[in-house]
C-alpha cells in the first residue's frame, strides 16, 4: 500500500483569534477532528478515496457548526438551498447537485448522481425528484433551522446584500452561536487514487437561484489522478471565473509545478487579483497534502499515513504528531 492521506476544510473567511472563545475553538477543533477520523478510518481500512471524502463530508454536514447540510444558511426567500459535488480522480467521474432542499446529506445525492445517473449535474426540483427515486434521506425544514442562521439572515434580508458566511458579519454575534463554514475533503488512498468533495449552503441571502463554485466541476471541486484533487471555499463568484480548482490541475499538468506551488499561484496571485477571498485544500496521487488560503483563517485539518497530523483555524497550524 502506498502513502495515503486526507485533508478537510470547514470554510474560510474573516476568522480571527481575537473574536474566538476557547469553547468555540474547541468545538471547531472537535468537529474537524471527528470528520477527519471518520474519513481517515476508511483509508486505513483499505477503502477508496471517494468513500473517504464522502464519509468525512457526511460528518461535517451533520454538524450544525458548518454551513452545509444541517446548519446551512438562509436564502433571500428564507429557505435553505444546498449545493454539493464529488469527483473521482481515477475515472474523472463526477456528480453535482445545486439548490436542493430537505436533503439531509447533499453529498450522498451528488454521489448518487455520479454513480447512478447518466448525468453530472442536477439542480432544483429535478435533483430533489432524483433524491426521492434513489431513496436518499430527506428531512423536514425544521431539521435545517437554526436560530443563529435565521438571525444572521434577518439582518440583511431586506437589502440586496448577500454575504460569505464568515465575512462582513458582526463577529461577536457569530461567535455567540458558533456556526458557519462550507465544507470540503480531498483524499489519496492506498492505491494512489484521489478524490474531492465539497458541500455548502452557499451565501446568506442569496437569490435568483444563485449557485456558487462548490458544485461546479473545475471551479470549486476537481480531481484527476494525473495531478491533484482540490476542494475550494470562499467567495464563489471569483472562484468560478478563475476556474480555480481546475487551474491548479492545469498548472501542474502543463508546467510540472508541485501541488503546493500550483495552489499558491492560484490562491495568492490569480484569486487575489480578482478579489477572490478564500482558500483550498489539495492532495496529489503520491499522498502529498496542502492547505492554502488568502483570508484571515480557514478551518482545516489533515492526516497522512507518514505520521502527519495537523489542525488549524488561523494562519498558524497546530502540528500534532501521531504515534
Ligand atoms: N464558496 C461558497 C459559495 O460561494 C461559499 C463558501 O465557501 O463558504 O457558495
Amino acid at each position: 500500500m502506498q502513502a495515503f492521506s486526507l485533508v478537510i476544510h470547514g470554510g474560510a473567511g474573516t476568522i480571527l483569534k481575537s473574536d474566538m472563545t476557547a469553547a468555540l475553538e474547541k468545538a471547531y477543533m472537535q468537529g474537524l477532528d471527528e470528520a477527519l477520523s471518520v474519513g481517515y478510518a476508511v483509508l486505513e481500512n483499505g477503502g477508496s478515496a471517494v468513500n473517504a471524502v464522502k464519509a468525512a463530508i457526511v460528518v461535517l454536514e451533520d454538524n450544525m457548526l458548518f454551513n452545509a447540510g444541517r446548519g446551512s444558511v438562509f436564502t433571500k426567500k428564507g429557505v435553505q438551498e444546498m449545493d454539493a459535488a464529488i469527483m473521482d480522480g481515477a475515472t474523472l467521474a463526477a456528480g453535482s447537485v445545486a439548490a436542493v432542499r430537505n436533503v439531509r446529506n447533499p453529498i450522498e445525492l451528488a454521489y448518487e448522481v455520479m454513480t447512478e445517473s447518466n448525468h453530472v449535474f442536477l439542480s432544483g426540483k429535478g435533483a430533489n425528484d432524483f433524491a426521492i427515486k434513489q431513496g436518499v434521506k430527506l428531512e423536514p425544514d425544521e431539521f435545517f433551522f437554526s436560530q443563529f442562521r435565521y438571525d444572521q439572515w434577518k439582518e440583511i434580508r431586506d437589502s440586496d446584500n448577500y454575504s460569505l458566511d464568515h465575512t462582513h458579519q458582526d463577529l461577536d454575534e457569530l461567535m455567540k452561536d458558533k456556526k458557519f463554514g462550507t465544507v470540503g475533503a480531498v483524499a489519496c488512498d492506498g492505491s494512489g487514487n484521489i478524490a474531492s468533495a465539497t458541500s455548502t449552503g452557499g451565501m446568506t441571502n442569496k437569490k435568483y437561484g444563485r449557485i456558487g463554485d462548490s458544485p461546479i466541476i473545475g471551479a470549486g471541486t476537481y480531481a484527476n489522478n494525473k495531478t491533484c484533487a482540490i476542494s475550494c471555499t470562499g467567495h464563489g463568484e471569483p472562484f468560478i471565473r478563475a476556474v480555480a480548482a481546475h487551474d491548479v490541475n492545469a498548472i501542474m499538468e502543463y508546467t510540472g509545478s508541485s501541488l503546493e506551488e500550483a495552489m499558491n499561484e492560484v490562491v495568492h496571485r490569480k484569486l487575489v487579483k480578482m478579489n477572490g477571498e478564500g482558500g483550498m485544500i489539495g492532495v496529489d496521487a503520491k499522498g502529498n497534502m496542502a492547505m492554502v488560503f488568502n483570508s484571515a483563517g480557514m478551518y482545516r485539518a489533515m492526516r497522512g499515513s507518514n505520521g502527519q497530523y495537523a489542525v488549524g483555524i488561523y494562519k498558524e497550524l497546530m502540528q500534532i504528531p501521531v504515534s
Side-chain angles (χ1 to χ4, degrees), residues 209-255:
R210 181 263 184 194
I211 295 164
D213 60 312
S214 310
I216 299 178
I217 297 303
T221 306
Y222 192 74
N224 184 339
N225 273 7
K226 269 167 66 182
T227 52
C228 58
I230 299 288
S231 169
C232 301
T233 175
H235 190 176
E237 281 70 7
F239 279 73
I240 295 172
R241 291 190 286 117
V243 201
H246 185 268
D247 201 28
V248 176
N249 154 84
I251 292 170
M252 291 177 74
E253 183 168 0
Y254 301 133
T255 71

Side-chain angles (χ1 to χ4, degrees), residues 122-135:
L122 302 182
S123 69
K125 174 151 184 345
N128 271 90
D129 290 346
F130 184 65
I132 293 164
K133 176 170 171 281
Q134 295 304 116

Side-chain angles (χ1 to χ4, degrees), residues 67 164-166 182 200 202-203 210 212-214 232-236:
N67 171 23
L164 184 59
D165 205 20
H166 330 279
T182 286
T200 188
M203 294 177 91
R210 181 263 184 194
D213 60 312
S214 310
C232 301
T233 175
H235 190 176

Side-chain angles (χ1 to χ4, degrees), residues 24-309:
L24 183 55
E25 210 171 76
K26 195 169 160 211
Y28 272 110
M29 294 294 223
Q30 275 172 353
L32 289 168
D33 190 57
E34 193 194 340
L36 193 70
S37 307
V38 168
Y40 193 77
V42 173
L43 298 175
E44 259 182 331
N45 293 328
S48 69
V50 166
N51 284 335
V53 294
K54 182 157 68 75
I57 296 276
V58 164
V59 175
L60 293 166
E61 284 177 338
D62 283 344
N63 187 334
M64 284 294 252
L65 285 175
F66 300 101
N67 171 23
R70 190 173 205 190
S72 286
V73 297
F74 283 82
T75 66
K76 180 83 178 165
K77 289 192 172 153
V79 296
Q80 282 87 14
E81 290 178 354
M82 299 166 285
D83 307 332
I86 189 162
M87 185 160 183
D88 180 350
T91 59
L92 302 187
S96 300
V97 293
V100 294
R101 296 193 51 197
N102 303 100
V103 175
R104 178 177 177 137
N105 295 109
I107 202 66
E108 301 268 19
L109 184 55
Y111 179 81
E112 291 294 309
V113 173
M114 177 170 81
T115 56
E116 304 300 328
S117 82
N118 296 321
H119 307 296
V120 170
F121 202 172
L122 302 182
S123 69
K125 174 151 184 345
N128 271 90
D129 290 346
F130 184 65
I132 293 164
K133 176 170 171 281
Q134 295 304 116
V136 170
K137 200 162 189 195
L138 301 177
E139 299 285 357
D141 288 348
E142 307 82 76
F143 175 83
F144 299 88
F145 180 90
S146 61
Q147 191 60 44
F148 162 72
R149 296 276 181 219
Y150 185 75
D151 294 344
Q152 186 184 343
W153 168 65
K154 236 173 38 185
E155 274 183 29
I156 60 169
R157 71 178 168 189
D158 294 329
S159 72
D160 274 340
N161 295 340
Y162 63 96
S163 66
L164 184 59
D165 205 20
H166 330 279
T167 305
H168 313 305
Q169 306 280 347
D170 177 340
L171 278 164
D172 288 341
E173 282 303 308
L174 278 180
M175 296 310 157
K176 248 193 264 162
D177 286 82
K178 311 172 182 162
K179 303 165 189 117
F180 42 38
T182 286
V183 304
V186 292
C188 173
D189 63 30
S191 308
N193 291 317
I194 60 178
S196 167
T198 313
S199 182
T200 188
M203 294 177 91
T204 299
N205 213 33
K206 64 185 182 180
K207 59 183 178 178
Y208 306 131
R210 181 263 184 194
I211 295 164
D213 60 312
S214 310
I216 299 178
I217 297 303
T221 306
Y222 192 74
N224 184 339
N225 273 7
K226 269 167 66 182
T227 52
C228 58
I230 299 288
S231 169
C232 301
T233 175
H235 190 176
E237 281 70 7
F239 279 73
I240 295 172
R241 291 190 286 117
V243 201
H246 185 268
D247 201 28
V248 176
N249 154 84
I251 292 170
M252 291 177 74
E253 183 168 0
Y254 301 133
T255 71
S257 297
S258 72
L259 174 72
E260 195 153 0
E261 282 164 359
M263 287 169 68
N264 278 325
E265 175 64 27
V266 174
V267 174
H268 289 302
R269 281 179 279 282
K270 294 194 172 185
L271 282 166
V272 167
K273 278 190 204 144
M274 301 167 78
N275 287 325
E277 182 192 5
M280 55 174 70
I281 52 172
V283 293
D284 65 20
K286 292 198 184 90
N288 293 312
M289 303 177 272
M291 312 188 282
V292 177
F293 55 101
N294 62 32
S295 45
M298 179 166 83
Y299 297 105
R300 61 202 188 277
M302 64 182 202
R303 185 163 178 190
S305 58
N306 292 334
Q308 314 98 308
Y309 178 31

